[in-house]
Amino acid sequence: MADRTTTRPSGNLGSAIVNALLLYGINIWPGWQVLPFLTADMDRALDLINASLIAGIIVNLVCVVIRARALLALGNIVVMGFGVAAMLRLWEVFPFDFGDGWSGWPVVVRVLLVLGTVGSVIGAVVEVVNLFRALAGFEPKPR
């Protein structure tokens, strides 16, 4: 079984590419404006969404070059922090308009924002533990 505390450089590179494509797609082409359920208030949340994607790109590219578990954990904490901030801004601004269709969509989106936020906070706690374990020199042995 592979060591679960490390990732492969190809995984980090793939994540950086996906984040770059999302950044391009949201801001340049086709742009978030093509989604009919997003309102002009999306501009108020876009800065934190972009910051989260950019942080993810930077962390993943650095981790392709520098293979250190502590660095990966610290980078993941930073990225999750930006992600939580973006989800909280989306909660606050709520730039969604689902029209006259099914009236349950706002509740579904709010539940997903809560789940994403809670999941990210839990993930950040796990990464803090991983960071301390890596700094203390404790790395599980591969089986």
Side-chain angles (χ1 to χ4, degrees), residues 11-21 56-58 60-61:
N12 291 112
L13 186 58
S15 294
I17 290 169
V18 168
N19 282 348
L21 290 172
I57 292 167
I58 292 169
N60 281 295
L61 289 178

Side-chain angles (χ1 to χ4, degrees), residues 13-112:
L13 186 58
S15 294
I17 290 169
V18 168
N19 282 348
L21 290 172
L22 286 170
L23 193 63
Y24 181 81
I26 290 169
N27 293 285
I28 298 172
W29 185 86
W32 64 266
Q33 299 89 345
V34 301
L35 297 173
F37 56 86
L38 292 176
T39 69
D41 285 337
M42 181 65 175
D43 278 334
R44 295 175 47 204
L46 203 54
D47 56 345
L48 286 172
I49 293 168
N50 287 340
S52 178
L53 291 170
I54 291 167
I57 292 167
I58 292 169
V59 166
N60 281 295
L61 289 178
V62 167
C63 288
V64 166
V65 178
I66 303 170
R67 307 296 309 151
R69 183 62 187 117
L71 181 63
L72 179 61
L74 183 61
N76 285 341
I77 293 166
V78 169
V79 171
M80 284 187 249
F82 278 111
V84 167
M87 285 184 280
L88 292 175
R89 177 74 56 85
L90 283 170
W91 178 278
E92 174 190 350
V93 172
F94 206 73
F96 306 100
D97 180 9
F98 299 104
D100 296 329
W102 182 55
S103 62
W105 281 117
V107 173
V108 170
V109 171
R110 293 234 188 238
V111 167
L112 291 174

Side-chain angles (χ1 to χ4, degrees), residues 1-8 69 138-143:
M1 177 185 271
D3 183 358
R4 292 183 355 182
T5 62
T6 60
T7 60
R8 296 177 187 226
R69 183 62 187 117
F138 177 75
E139 292 288 330
K141 294 181 173 112
R143 298 179 190 199

